[in-house]
Amino acid sequence: MVLPKVWGATLLASLAAAQTYPPDVVDELAKASLPKLEEWLAKNPQEGCTLETAVRRKEWSDLTVEQRKEYTDAVLCLQSKPALTSDLAPGAKSRFDDYVVIHILQTPRNHGSTFFLPWHRYYIWHYENALREECGYKGYQPYWNWDRYAKDPVNSPLFDGSEGSMGGNGAKEEHNGIPIPGAPPPYNMIPPGDGGGCVTTGPFKNMSVNVGPLAPTLNVERNPQRDGLGYNPRCLRRDVNKNAAAVTTANYTYDLITNNHEVYWFQTVMEGQFPQGKWGVHAGGHYTVSGDPAGDFYVSPGDPVFWLHHAMIDRVWWIWQIQDLETRLTQVSHTKTMNNFPPSANGTLDDLSGLGVLAEDVTVRELMSTMGGLGGKFCYIYE
């Protein structure tokens, strides 16, 4: 492989030194693709954003325990600050809840639609920015490389319940499994794992889930409002599940990136083809955590692991884009409504996407590139 100049050799050396897991085929593809990004930037320089200045988002286990704790402390800080969306949602009690409320309100627009990938890119960046600006976090949004932990997620650095984790599994509680709406048997039910109850270990053992549920996968108390936005305090529940994790191994992600050359199929395969019994890595990651609220399609950002999962979704899109930047930085597909219900026009780069009361609407075009997008505010890559 031909390395880009000095920055490239330095970056690859730091990647090799930092990893505690051997690189998988997706990691190798990402590294091998960096010269393509450098070549594109040479032709399309971005003011104030270069490969030398770009933020490096790192995988969870490549952070030190101290760095992981700094991240979870910042999330807890966000959960302690008053909500901005309480007028919209009586159940919102914190800045963390604000992001859950926006996801609930915008789910029908931002899934199975043109906006799925660019909107979530904006959403994650804004959350990362809130952790830094409002809670003094010095790092950047980590991601969850699904493959590293797929064989035994409950004992991984992500879920082992230590102070350097994102919290443990839920206590053992009998249930019938996790239903997958729209999938045929036997793909419509994930067998139960060894959790299902309240998380009792790690940084989020005392966390309160305040809004939802709307589409619960466990038997939890219904929200006092039909829209799920009422106050419904309860514990964080998980059923960390290796059956769901089995569809997130690196071979699935590699095939997703390399075998789908149009964004329509890339996004469709990623989100899942449930009638064909194919969950996709997007659903596979969500259902690896499962529980309440992680298994709830609308309320899933209420589990702090959501943000690492969707940072990985963004990373996979980033790697896919790098394979053909001239084309893929302008490729959008699908219509403007979830699964085209109700029927709507095809989306375009000029359509607006925003975060409600949290952030202004911007064009989809502004959200396509991690190097100079959003008026130069996006300037990051994934290590």
Side-chain angles (χ1 to χ4, degrees):
M1 148 181 149
V2 178
L3 294 177
K5 304 182 178 81
V6 175
W7 74 263
T10 302
L11 174 58
L12 296 187
S14 70
L15 287 172
Q19 284 186 322
T20 56
Y21 286 76
D24 60 44
V25 290
V26 177
D27 297 332
E28 295 287 7
L29 177 61
K31 293 177 188 178
S33 302
L34 286 172
K36 296 180 182 180
L37 180 57
E38 183 193 34
E39 182 181 353
W40 181 84
L41 284 168
K43 297 177 182 177
N44 303 275
Q46 304 297 305
E47 185 177 354
C49 184
T50 67
L51 283 166
E52 290 81 3
T53 62
V55 164
R56 268 74 168 153
R57 288 183 175 173
K58 298 176 180 289
E59 209 281 332
W60 183 250
S61 61
D62 290 339
L63 301 176
T64 66
V65 170
E66 181 180 2
Q67 289 170 329
R68 296 179 213 166
K69 193 171 184 306
E70 288 170 356
Y71 176 78
T72 55
D73 283 348
V75 176
L76 290 168
C77 163
L78 207 64
Q79 292 177 351
S80 72
K81 292 184 174 293
L84 301 178
T85 58
S86 53
D87 289 344
L88 295 171
K93 302 302 178 184
S94 72
R95 287 286 288 111
F96 182 85
D97 290 342
D98 288 338
Y99 289 92
V100 186
V101 169
I102 295 302
H103 194 270
I104 291 172
L105 293 172
Q106 297 198 12
T107 283
R109 187 175 190 265
N110 295 322
H111 297 79
S113 74
T114 302
F115 307 105
F116 173 68
L117 292 165
W119 182 86
H120 280 90
R121 176 168 284 174
Y122 193 13
Y123 188 52
I124 297 161
W125 174 85
H126 197 275
Y127 178 81
E128 173 189 65
N129 213 43
L131 294 177
R132 290 174 54 80
E133 291 190 354
E134 299 177 40
C135 289
Y137 179 51
K138 302 301 184 185
Y140 297 94
Q141 178 59 48
Y143 67 94
W144 161 18
N145 183 340
W146 309 306
D147 183 79
R148 292 191 179 187
Y149 320 130
K151 291 183 178 179
D152 189 17
V154 77
N155 291 309
S156 72
L158 203 59
F159 296 114
D160 65 11
S162 66
E163 69 171 1
S165 73
M166 287 295 293
N169 195 12
K172 178 66 175 176
E173 190 169 294
E174 296 299 327
H175 63 96
N176 295 325
I178 305 301
I180 308 296
Y187 307 104
N188 63 334
M189 184 67 74
I190 302 174
D194 293 323
C198 298
V199 170
T200 60
T201 57
F204 303 110
K205 63 184 178 182
N206 296 318
M207 178 183 156
S208 176
V209 178
N210 293 325
V211 294
L214 262 75
T217 54
L218 296 175
N219 184 22
V220 295
E221 186 173 346
R222 304 298 300 188
N223 195 278
Q225 295 186 193
R226 291 185 63 184
D227 60 9
L229 299 177
Y231 186 44
N232 189 27
R234 59 201 187 278
C235 70
L236 175 67
R237 292 172 177 255
R238 289 179 181 157
D239 187 30
V240 178
N241 196 301
K242 66 181 180 181
N243 296 294
V247 303
T248 65
T249 50
N251 57 302
Y252 288 102
T253 308
Y254 183 85
D255 288 348
L256 168 68
I257 295 168
T258 59
N259 291 341
N260 297 283
H261 304 294
E262 299 294 328
V263 73
Y264 173 85
W265 284 111
F266 173 74
Q267 181 178 326
T268 297
V269 173
M270 172 184 275
E271 286 199 81
Q273 298 164 282
F274 297 115
Q276 290 81 45
K278 299 176 181 178
W279 300 343
V281 294
H282 174 244
H286 279 298
Y287 290 125
T288 295
V289 191
S290 200
D292 173 55
D296 188 314
F297 185 58
Y298 294 85
V299 196
S300 54
D303 189 314
V305 174
F306 170 96
W307 301 94
L308 281 75
H309 171 51
H310 263 277
M312 179 63 174
I313 291 288
D314 188 62
R315 178 190 184 229
V316 173
W317 183 31
W318 174 75
I319 298 169
W320 181 84
Q321 287 181 306
I322 291 175
Q323 307 313 303
D324 184 3
L325 285 159
E326 295 293 344
T327 299
R328 295 180 182 181
L329 285 178
T330 57
Q331 265 197 25
V332 294
S333 188
H334 293 69
T335 67
K336 301 180 191 181
T337 48
M338 184 166 60
N339 301 328
N340 198 32
F341 182 81
S344 60
N346 290 333
T348 72
L349 290 169
D350 295 321
D351 284 316
L352 294 176
S353 186
L355 302 175
V357 299
L358 300 185
E360 65 181 353
D361 287 355
V362 297
T363 63
V364 169
R365 189 186 311 277
E366 278 295 301
L367 306 175
M368 295 297 289
S369 175
T370 72
M371 300 293 292
L374 197 60
K377 293 177 182 177
F378 287 175
C379 186
Y380 66 89
I381 64 172
Y382 287 93
E383 288 192 351

